[in-house]
Each structure stands twice: as structure tokens, then as C-alpha cells.
Amino acid sequence: MESSSATAGVSTRREATRQKLYEAAVTLIAEQGFSATTVDEIAERAGVAKGTVYYNFASKSVLFEELLRHGVGLLTASLREAAEATARADGGKVDALDAMIRAGLVFIDRYPAFTQLYVAELWRTNRAWQSTLMVVRQQAVAVVEGVLREGVENGEFSDEIDVPLTASALVGMVLVAALDWQSFQPERSLDDVHAALSRLLQGRVSGRNG
């Protein structure tokens, strides 16, 4: 029992250290770019020794790859929980998508530097972590795809919709709208931005009734 507790304590401390390194790395890289950011700077910002960085990650590239995996994993979990909470409340699939939009905005509002990095890296093709990024991106999009497919199956959505493309469009809409909000319209509240995207989702932008 004591051995188990000691192991759990070490694991918890290591996870806390890795979290500090993630936060330091994402802030520095957002400020000055990946190439300009050094391991020394990451260690200093995190308040740990340089050796601690290499103890947890083999290199700066591995740290960044794991950072992307960690961040998108948090986003994916947020989207999934929003969909599951809606299902538990007997909401429809449009309600689930609306809840996922809000969950995405909440995530981006909480982790703006990570979101900026993630969107920037999506368009780069010469990075060592590109394949990993594509995998974790698909995991997030797949959560939205699942809700769309269920909506098609139960007749809530048209069977003519392109599920993969629609899912990607919804995720992209949230990412781009949120970054625009934070960069150019910071005076707007999260509720205000969510309401605008919700109207788009529900097709209430034409001014027509019914």
C-alpha cells in the first residue's frame, strides 16, 4: 500500500511538472515562435532546471508534439462531455452541436495561446509532428462527426449532408470565430459570440421565419 501511494505521488508530481512545462512552452512559442524558443527559456519560465525538461521530454520537438497532443486531447474531452451532457438531458442533436460550440469557445477562451499555435501549425507541412497533429485533429472532429451521423440516422438532419466536411466546417468555424473575437472584438462576451454562432448553426441568419 505504501509503495502504491509513493508511486502515485511520483506520478502526480511528474504530471504537475509536465503541466508547468506545457504552459511555459505554449506561452513562449506563441510569443516568439518555435525556432526562437530555447529549452533554457522554457525551463526558466517553468521554474525548473534545464535537466528537468529533458527528463520529461527527449527534445524541444517532442515537448511541442506532446503539447499539441495534450491540448487537443483536452478540447476533444470538452466536446465529448458537452455532447454526453446533452444526451443525458434528453436534448436533440442540434442541442448537442450547440453545446459543443459553447464548449469549444470556453476552451479557446481559457487557452488562447494554445489555440493560436494549433491553428498556425495546421497549415504547416514541414514539421516533424505534422502526422501527430493530423491524428489528434481527427479525434476532435470525429466527436462532431458522431453527433452528425446520429442526427442523420434519427432523421433530425438531412441524409444529404456531407458529414466529414460539415464536422470540419463546424470545428473550423468555432476556431476562426473565436480567434477573431479575441484578436479584434475582445469587448464581446463569450455569451454574445456563442449566440451568434448558435444562430448560424440553427439557420436563423436569413431573417425568414419557419
Side-chain angles (χ1 to χ4, degrees):
M1 184 65 70
E2 292 181 0
S3 177
S4 177
S5 299
T7 300
V10 170
S11 178
T12 300
R13 288 194 297 274
R14 185 176 187 189
E15 186 55 39
T17 298
R18 290 169 73 93
Q19 186 63 41
K20 288 197 296 184
L21 291 171
Y22 287 145
E23 292 172 0
V26 74
T27 303
L28 285 166
I29 295 170
E31 290 174 354
Q32 57 195 34
F34 176 80
S35 298
T37 299
T38 67
V39 171
D40 287 317
E41 289 173 321
I42 293 171
E44 181 179 359
R45 180 68 65 95
V48 301
K50 181 178 180 179
T52 300
V53 180
Y54 288 115
Y55 175 76
N56 285 274
F57 305 99
S59 66
K60 184 177 71 170
S61 291
V62 170
L63 166 57
F64 191 57
E65 182 174 345
E66 289 302 312
L67 167 63
L68 291 171
R69 191 189 300 275
H70 174 73
V72 180
L74 291 177
L75 173 60
T76 301
S78 296
L79 297 177
R80 184 177 295 110
E81 172 54 30
E84 292 174 350
T86 303
R88 290 193 296 270
D90 295 323
K93 298 309 175 186
V94 171
D95 297 322
L97 292 174
D98 191 49
M100 294 165 85
I101 286 174
R102 184 173 186 85
L105 291 173
V106 169
F107 174 87
I108 294 165
D109 188 46
R110 184 176 180 183
Y111 304 108
F114 172 80
T115 305
Q116 291 170 10
L117 282 179
Y118 170 67
V119 172
E121 291 302 317
L122 282 175
W123 301 105
R124 301 183 193 275
T125 58
N126 61 340
R127 301 293 207 190
W129 51 78
Q130 188 66 25
S131 60
T132 295
L133 184 58
M134 292 299 99
V135 169
V136 295
R137 171 201 168 275
Q138 185 52 40
Q139 290 172 352
V141 173
V143 179
V144 183
E145 286 185 12
V147 172
L148 289 170
R149 292 188 195 284
E150 291 171 1
V152 171
E153 290 170 2
N154 68 19
E156 192 170 348
F157 301 140
S158 167
D159 59 8
E160 296 181 353
I161 68 170
D162 184 320
V163 170
L165 187 58
T166 301
S168 294
L170 286 170
V171 172
M173 175 183 74
V174 174
L175 287 171
V176 174
L179 290 177
D180 184 89
W181 158 42
Q182 294 182 336
S183 298
F184 305 113
Q185 305 178 63
E187 72 283 356
R188 301 184 68 165
S189 69
L190 190 150
D191 287 340
D192 188 26
V193 176
H194 174 223
L197 297 186
S198 182
R199 283 190 287 272
L200 277 174
L201 171 68
Q202 299 178 41
R204 293 187 283 114
V205 295
S206 68
R208 299 173 183 172
N209 297 319

Short mmCIF file of all heavy atoms in Angstrom, two decimals, residues 14 20-21 33 38 43 52 58 64 76 84 87-88 108 117 126 136 141 143 149 153 157-158 160 172 177 184 200 202:
data_model
loop_
_atom_site.label_atom_id
_atom_site.label_comp_id
_atom_site.label_asym_id
_atom_site.label_seq_id
_atom_site.Cartn_x
_atom_site.Cartn_y
_atom_site.Cartn_z
N ARG A 14 5.09 14.35 -11.31
CA ARG A 14 5.60 14.42 -12.68
C ARG A 14 4.57 15.07 -13.60
O ARG A 14 4.92 15.87 -14.47
CB ARG A 14 5.96 13.03 -13.19
CG ARG A 14 6.62 13.08 -14.56
CD ARG A 14 7.09 11.74 -15.06
NE ARG A 14 7.85 11.91 -16.29
CZ ARG A 14 8.24 10.92 -17.06
NH1 ARG A 14 7.99 9.67 -16.71
NH2 ARG A 14 8.93 11.15 -18.17
N LYS A 20 3.44 22.33 -16.03
CA LYS A 20 4.17 23.60 -15.98
C LYS A 20 5.00 23.80 -17.25
O LYS A 20 5.09 24.93 -17.77
CB LYS A 20 5.07 23.64 -14.75
CG LYS A 20 4.33 23.81 -13.44
CD LYS A 20 5.24 24.25 -12.31
CE LYS A 20 6.29 23.22 -11.99
NZ LYS A 20 7.12 23.62 -10.81
N LEU A 21 5.59 22.73 -17.74
CA LEU A 21 6.40 22.82 -18.96
C LEU A 21 5.51 23.12 -20.18
O LEU A 21 5.89 23.90 -21.05
CB LEU A 21 7.19 21.54 -19.17
CG LEU A 21 8.31 21.29 -18.15
CD1 LEU A 21 8.88 19.89 -18.31
CD2 LEU A 21 9.42 22.33 -18.32
N GLY A 33 7.72 32.29 -31.42
CA GLY A 33 7.87 31.26 -32.43
C GLY A 33 8.63 30.06 -31.91
O GLY A 33 9.39 30.15 -30.93
N THR A 38 14.05 28.56 -26.81
CA THR A 38 15.06 27.59 -26.40
C THR A 38 14.57 26.77 -25.19
O THR A 38 13.67 27.19 -24.45
CB THR A 38 16.37 28.28 -26.01
OG1 THR A 38 16.15 29.07 -24.81
CG2 THR A 38 16.85 29.19 -27.12
N ALA A 43 12.61 26.14 -19.49
CA ALA A 43 12.91 25.74 -18.11
C ALA A 43 12.80 26.93 -17.17
O ALA A 43 12.22 26.82 -16.07
CB ALA A 43 14.31 25.13 -18.05
N THR A 52 15.40 18.98 -16.07
CA THR A 52 14.03 18.51 -15.84
C THR A 52 13.25 18.43 -17.15
O THR A 52 12.42 17.54 -17.34
CB THR A 52 13.30 19.45 -14.85
OG1 THR A 52 14.03 19.47 -13.62
CG2 THR A 52 11.88 18.98 -14.59
N ALA A 58 12.33 14.15 -24.57
CA ALA A 58 13.63 13.89 -25.20
C ALA A 58 14.21 15.12 -25.88
O ALA A 58 15.43 15.26 -25.99
CB ALA A 58 13.50 12.76 -26.21
N PHE A 64 6.94 19.82 -27.80
CA PHE A 64 5.89 20.53 -28.54
C PHE A 64 4.87 19.55 -29.12
O PHE A 64 3.67 19.82 -29.11
CB PHE A 64 6.52 21.36 -29.66
CG PHE A 64 5.54 22.32 -30.30
CD1 PHE A 64 4.85 23.25 -29.54
CD2 PHE A 64 5.30 22.27 -31.66
CE1 PHE A 64 3.95 24.12 -30.12
CE2 PHE A 64 4.39 23.14 -32.24
CZ PHE A 64 3.72 24.08 -31.48
N THR A 76 -10.92 17.79 -27.16
CA THR A 76 -11.76 16.65 -27.54
C THR A 76 -12.61 16.19 -26.37
O THR A 76 -13.81 15.91 -26.52
CB THR A 76 -10.88 15.50 -28.04
OG1 THR A 76 -10.10 15.94 -29.16
CG2 THR A 76 -11.72 14.30 -28.45
N GLU A 84 -22.32 14.44 -24.43
CA GLU A 84 -22.87 13.45 -23.49
C GLU A 84 -23.81 14.10 -22.48
O GLU A 84 -24.84 13.51 -22.12
CB GLU A 84 -21.73 12.73 -22.78
CG GLU A 84 -20.91 11.83 -23.70
CD GLU A 84 -19.69 11.23 -23.03
OE1 GLU A 84 -19.38 11.67 -21.89
OE2 GLU A 84 -19.04 10.35 -23.64
N ALA A 87 -27.10 14.60 -24.17
CA ALA A 87 -27.82 13.34 -24.28
C ALA A 87 -28.47 12.96 -22.95
O ALA A 87 -29.61 12.48 -22.92
CB ALA A 87 -26.88 12.23 -24.75
N ARG A 88 -27.73 13.17 -21.85
CA ARG A 88 -28.29 12.85 -20.54
C ARG A 88 -29.51 13.71 -20.22
O ARG A 88 -30.41 13.29 -19.49
CB ARG A 88 -27.23 13.02 -19.44
CG ARG A 88 -26.12 11.98 -19.48
CD ARG A 88 -25.30 12.01 -18.20
NE ARG A 88 -24.58 13.26 -18.02
CZ ARG A 88 -23.36 13.50 -18.47
NH1 ARG A 88 -22.71 12.57 -19.15
NH2 ARG A 88 -22.77 14.65 -18.25
N ILE A 108 -11.23 27.69 -25.85
CA ILE A 108 -10.38 28.66 -26.53
C ILE A 108 -10.18 29.90 -25.67
O ILE A 108 -9.09 30.49 -25.64
CB ILE A 108 -10.97 29.02 -27.90
CG1 ILE A 108 -10.93 27.78 -28.81
CG2 ILE A 108 -10.22 30.18 -28.55
CD1 ILE A 108 -11.79 27.89 -30.05
N LEU A 117 -1.45 28.65 -31.56
CA LEU A 117 -0.41 27.73 -32.03
C LEU A 117 -1.01 26.60 -32.86
O LEU A 117 -0.50 26.25 -33.92
CB LEU A 117 0.36 27.14 -30.85
CG LEU A 117 1.41 28.01 -30.18
CD1 LEU A 117 2.03 27.24 -29.04
CD2 LEU A 117 2.48 28.43 -31.18
N ASN A 126 5.90 21.09 -42.92
CA ASN A 126 7.31 20.67 -42.80
C ASN A 126 7.73 20.38 -41.37
O ASN A 126 8.90 20.40 -41.04
CB ASN A 126 8.22 21.76 -43.38
CG ASN A 126 8.08 23.08 -42.63
OD1 ASN A 126 7.08 23.31 -41.96
ND2 ASN A 126 9.08 23.95 -42.77
N VAL A 136 -4.57 13.84 -33.95
CA VAL A 136 -5.33 14.41 -32.84
C VAL A 136 -6.42 15.36 -33.34
O VAL A 136 -7.50 15.45 -32.73
CB VAL A 136 -4.40 15.12 -31.83
CG1 VAL A 136 -3.49 14.13 -31.16
CG2 VAL A 136 -3.60 16.24 -32.47
N VAL A 141 -12.50 16.21 -34.46
CA VAL A 141 -13.53 16.29 -35.50
C VAL A 141 -14.45 15.08 -35.43
O VAL A 141 -15.66 15.18 -35.68
CB VAL A 141 -12.88 16.41 -36.90
CG1 VAL A 141 -13.94 16.33 -38.00
CG2 VAL A 141 -12.10 17.72 -37.02
N VAL A 143 -15.60 13.51 -32.93
CA VAL A 143 -16.66 13.68 -31.93
C VAL A 143 -17.85 14.39 -32.56
O VAL A 143 -19.02 14.01 -32.36
CB VAL A 143 -16.15 14.47 -30.71
CG1 VAL A 143 -17.27 14.65 -29.69
CG2 VAL A 143 -14.98 13.75 -30.06
N ARG A 149 -23.75 12.05 -37.49
CA ARG A 149 -24.22 10.75 -38.01
C ARG A 149 -25.46 10.27 -37.26
O ARG A 149 -26.41 9.76 -37.85
CB ARG A 149 -23.10 9.71 -37.92
CG ARG A 149 -21.93 9.98 -38.85
CD ARG A 149 -20.94 8.82 -38.86
NE ARG A 149 -19.68 9.22 -39.45
CZ ARG A 149 -19.47 9.38 -40.76
NH1 ARG A 149 -20.47 9.15 -41.60
NH2 ARG A 149 -18.28 9.75 -41.21
N GLU A 153 -29.15 9.53 -38.76
CA GLU A 153 -29.82 8.24 -38.54
C GLU A 153 -31.20 8.39 -37.91
O GLU A 153 -32.12 7.64 -38.23
CB GLU A 153 -28.94 7.36 -37.64
CG GLU A 153 -27.67 6.87 -38.34
CD GLU A 153 -26.70 6.19 -37.38
OE1 GLU A 153 -27.05 6.07 -36.18
OE2 GLU A 153 -25.60 5.81 -37.83
N PHE A 157 -31.30 15.34 -39.04
CA PHE A 157 -30.55 16.02 -40.09
C PHE A 157 -30.82 15.34 -41.44
O PHE A 157 -31.12 14.14 -41.48
CB PHE A 157 -29.04 15.97 -39.80
CG PHE A 157 -28.65 16.60 -38.50
CD1 PHE A 157 -27.67 16.02 -37.70
CD2 PHE A 157 -29.23 17.76 -38.05
CE1 PHE A 157 -27.29 16.57 -36.50
CE2 PHE A 157 -28.87 18.35 -36.85
CZ PHE A 157 -27.89 17.74 -36.07
N SER A 158 -30.65 16.10 -42.49
CA SER A 158 -30.82 15.56 -43.83
C SER A 158 -29.75 14.51 -44.12
O SER A 158 -28.59 14.67 -43.73
CB SER A 158 -30.71 16.68 -44.86
OG SER A 158 -30.58 16.17 -46.17
N GLU A 160 -28.51 14.09 -46.83
CA GLU A 160 -27.71 14.62 -47.93
C GLU A 160 -26.47 15.37 -47.44
O GLU A 160 -25.61 15.74 -48.25
CB GLU A 160 -28.55 15.54 -48.81
CG GLU A 160 -29.70 14.84 -49.52
CD GLU A 160 -30.49 15.78 -50.41
OE1 GLU A 160 -30.23 17.02 -50.36
OE2 GLU A 160 -31.37 15.31 -51.15
N GLY A 172 -13.90 24.28 -37.58
CA GLY A 172 -13.18 25.43 -38.13
C GLY A 172 -13.88 26.74 -37.84
O GLY A 172 -13.22 27.75 -37.53
N ALA A 177 -13.72 31.89 -35.59
CA ALA A 177 -14.56 32.92 -34.97
C ALA A 177 -14.01 33.31 -33.60
O ALA A 177 -14.00 34.49 -33.24
CB ALA A 177 -15.99 32.43 -34.85
N PHE A 184 -9.78 40.82 -32.42
CA PHE A 184 -10.35 42.04 -32.98
C PHE A 184 -11.62 42.53 -32.31
O PHE A 184 -12.00 43.69 -32.50
CB PHE A 184 -10.62 41.84 -34.48
CG PHE A 184 -9.42 41.38 -35.25
CD1 PHE A 184 -9.36 40.11 -35.81
CD2 PHE A 184 -8.32 42.20 -35.39
CE1 PHE A 184 -8.25 39.68 -36.51
CE2 PHE A 184 -7.19 41.78 -36.09
CZ PHE A 184 -7.15 40.51 -36.65
N LEU A 200 -26.12 30.80 -36.51
CA LEU A 200 -25.63 30.19 -37.75
C LEU A 200 -25.95 28.70 -37.79
O LEU A 200 -26.43 28.17 -38.79
CB LEU A 200 -24.11 30.38 -37.86
CG LEU A 200 -23.59 31.69 -38.41
CD1 LEU A 200 -22.07 31.73 -38.30
CD2 LEU A 200 -24.01 31.88 -39.85
N GLN A 202 -28.29 27.07 -36.33
CA GLN A 202 -29.72 26.79 -36.43
C GLN A 202 -30.38 27.43 -37.64
O GLN A 202 -31.60 27.38 -37.78
CB GLN A 202 -30.40 27.22 -35.14
CG GLN A 202 -29.87 26.47 -33.91
CD GLN A 202 -30.51 26.91 -32.61
OE1 GLN A 202 -31.70 27.14 -32.55
NE2 GLN A 202 -29.70 27.01 -31.56
#
